Amino acid sequence: MRTTVGIIGAGPAGLLLARLLHNAGIDSVVLESRDRSYVEHRQRAGILEQGTVDVLRAAGAGERMDREGLRHDGIELRFAKQRHRVDFPGLTGGRSVMVYAQTEVCKDLIALQVKEGGPLLFEAEALEVEGAESGRPRVRFRHEGREDVLECEYVVGCDGFWGVARKAFPAGLSRVFERTYPYAWLGILADVAPSHDELVYARHDRGFALLSMRSPSVSRLYLQVPAGTDAEAWRDEEIWDELERRFETDDDWRLERGPITQKSVTPMRSYVHEPMRHGRLFLAGDAAHIVPPTGAKGLNLAVGDVVTLARALAHEKETGSPELLETYSTTCLRRIWQAERFSYDMTTLLHTGPEDTPFDARLQLARLGRIASSRAAETDLAEAYTGFPLDV
């Protein structure tokens, strides 16, 4: 089996890359170890930056997003029972974000790939990437009970943190930067209309809480919990009681409760692998970097990676110059480290660590007060939240 670009992983990064390459006239094959149903139903991110929204529209994958997604023009910060709204368009020259779940993005891109794109093989487990430094790298994979080989000009690992692509990097080349946090998020889906029309980020002495949503009738909420927490150890009423405490305000706002349909725990970590290129093998998305979810950056960083790579591959096709491919890692990492910085800042701004002192708590409140009282500080948050330019 042969193609120009072999893509490992059919998450949003791999699927969007295949779509961008198709639109540029570059053929590809996508290998995904899971079945289609799993890919279309795994719950992940739900906030799309302005740049991600623009890319999906330009790629022809924005019709349902524009019809069913929820445009948000701000977020609310809560601290010391106070409420402060951050107005995105007013601070960024018109930018906003879209609430549209990763599962829906994947459904849209899969439908386009099946209808118009190159081969998309589900339950095709990539086993190894070979010959990354050669002119014809190969991906060994298992599909329908037998092993096969995909011969490529380029291989892109969009196969997440546990995938095989990053393992093909020589140990002496790889540099890893990471931080593990002592807390996690207990997340729930609930069949109840959201209690606020925009996301609410709450800092409380008992820990962080986030009010989000998946639709006008489905709420997505999170509680900070100790790392290693078992989601099933929390009873439904305990979760609602704790959310109510952490979202408390001085006015008459109230949290609406409803049936909880799903519980899960998300660990918190920051991770970057440098470089993101080895020969003709490229990493994108979680294969190269992970951010804590506080900054809503994970999916959007993956989009930035594949937009940069698709441009570089199209440039090489049109001009014969590998210049943009050779600078892919450097270009992506500038944007990635800004997102890592913002995600870290948001995490440490809003979460209470097990070793925090009263001094740390006062600093958090001072930082939040600064955002609420300074247009410059508020603008910095709004610009980062709505997204760094994709060409940075």
Side-chain angles (χ1 to χ4, degrees):
M1 196 173 187
R2 295 190 176 187
T3 191
T4 301
V5 182
I7 301 171
I8 308 173
L15 291 167
L16 179 58
L17 177 59
R19 179 65 183 175
L20 296 173
L21 295 178
H22 169 78
N23 290 348
I26 301 171
D27 63 288
S28 68
V29 172
V30 183
L31 305 176
E32 167 57 46
S33 62
R34 303 282 193 164
D35 63 28
R36 180 171 178 173
S37 177
Y38 179 89
V39 175
E40 291 185 336
H41 292 91
R42 56 185 166 191
Q43 289 292 331
R44 293 290 189 274
I47 304 296
L48 308 183
E49 295 175 354
Q50 182 69 65
T52 297
V53 170
D54 295 342
V55 166
L56 289 171
R57 287 172 178 156
E63 181 181 352
R64 194 165 68 93
M65 173 190 70
D66 284 329
R67 187 173 65 250
E68 299 179 10
L70 306 174
R71 172 180 162 143
H72 280 200
D73 288 335
I75 59 172
E76 183 173 288
L77 300 176
R78 291 193 185 178
F79 57 99
K81 298 185 181 181
Q82 302 175 48
R83 305 170 64 180
H84 176 76
R85 182 176 184 267
V86 179
D87 174 16
F88 291 157
L91 295 163
T92 64
R95 299 213 304 268
S96 61
V97 297
M98 183 80 77
V99 176
Y100 191 63
Q102 175 175 313
T103 51
E104 306 311 310
V105 173
C106 287
K107 288 175 186 176
D108 297 341
L109 290 169
I110 288 171
L112 285 170
Q113 186 71 6
V114 170
K115 180 181 179 182
E116 303 173 5
L120 167 53
L121 305 183
F122 290 102
E123 299 181 88
E125 180 187 6
L127 303 173
E128 187 177 6
V129 178
E130 302 173 337
E133 296 177 319
S134 71
R136 300 293 298 183
R138 298 152 43 101
V139 182
R140 288 197 305 105
F141 68 98
R142 182 183 296 110
H143 185 236
E144 296 181 342
R146 64 184 181 86
E147 285 196 20
D148 205 342
V149 174
L150 177 62
E151 296 184 350
C152 322
E153 293 180 27
Y154 304 97
V155 175
V156 186
C158 303
D159 50 346
F161 182 78
W162 302 106
V164 302
R166 195 174 64 248
K167 297 175 184 176
F169 278 61
L173 178 66
S174 296
R175 290 168 293 167
V176 170
F177 305 87
E178 60 184 328
R179 178 182 294 272
T180 301
Y181 299 88
Y183 34 75
W185 280 9
L186 170 63
I188 63 167
L189 279 176
D191 285 338
V192 61
S195 301
H196 193 59
D197 55 2
E198 293 177 333
L199 272 69
V200 177
Y201 287 76
R203 185 266 170 208
H204 193 279
D205 287 341
R206 296 175 65 89
F208 169 73
L210 172 63
L211 186 157
S212 183
M213 60 212 66
R214 284 295 177 263
S215 75
S217 60
V218 177
S219 293
R220 182 74 160 155
L221 301 109
Y222 298 92
L223 280 174
Q224 176 190 339
V225 294
T229 291
D230 177 7
E232 297 306 318
W234 282 72
R235 298 195 318 273
D236 291 6
E237 282 304 306
E238 287 180 317
I239 293 172
W240 287 118
D241 289 346
E242 189 61 26
L243 285 166
E244 201 165 74
R245 275 190 287 265
R246 297 188 193 184
F247 285 125
E248 185 181 6
T249 63
D250 280 331
D251 57 21
D252 60 356
W253 181 91
R254 61 193 297 267
L255 179 68
E256 298 296 333
R257 303 187 180 203
I260 293 175
T261 60
Q262 185 183 108
K263 300 177 191 175
S264 61
V265 171
T266 302
M268 306 281 283
R269 64 186 310 219
S270 301
Y271 175 93
V272 180
H273 178 280
E274 297 185 7
M276 294 170 60
R277 169 181 172 261
H278 169 52
R280 287 176 173 255
L281 169 61
F282 300 82
L283 302 179
D286 286 359
H289 45 75
I290 294 172
V291 289
T294 326
K297 288 286 167 267
L299 181 153
N300 297 291
L301 274 185
V303 169
D305 294 346
V306 299
V307 167
T308 301
L309 184 54
R311 287 174 180 167
L313 288 164
H315 180 76
E316 194 271 343
K317 178 190 176 187
E318 294 165 3
T319 68
S321 169
E323 177 186 2
L324 297 183
L325 289 171
E326 291 171 352
T327 59
Y328 165 76
S329 183
T330 302
T331 301
C332 288
L333 284 167
R334 283 198 295 268
R335 188 170 187 269
I336 288 161
W337 275 111
Q338 285 300 320
E340 291 281 355
R341 185 272 306 171
F342 174 68
S343 298
Y344 173 83
D345 284 350
M346 286 286 283
T347 301
T348 56
L349 173 68
L350 296 164
H351 291 72
T352 56
E355 297 182 1
D356 283 2
T357 66
F359 180 83
D360 298 308
R362 287 290 196 232
L363 282 183
Q364 285 182 318
L365 293 172
R367 291 166 65 191
L368 286 161
R370 174 67 176 169
I371 293 168
S373 62
S374 164
R375 185 175 178 86
E378 194 178 26
T379 299
D380 183 61
L381 187 155
E383 288 181 342
Y385 196 98
T386 56
F388 303 106
L390 292 176
D391 57 354
V392 168

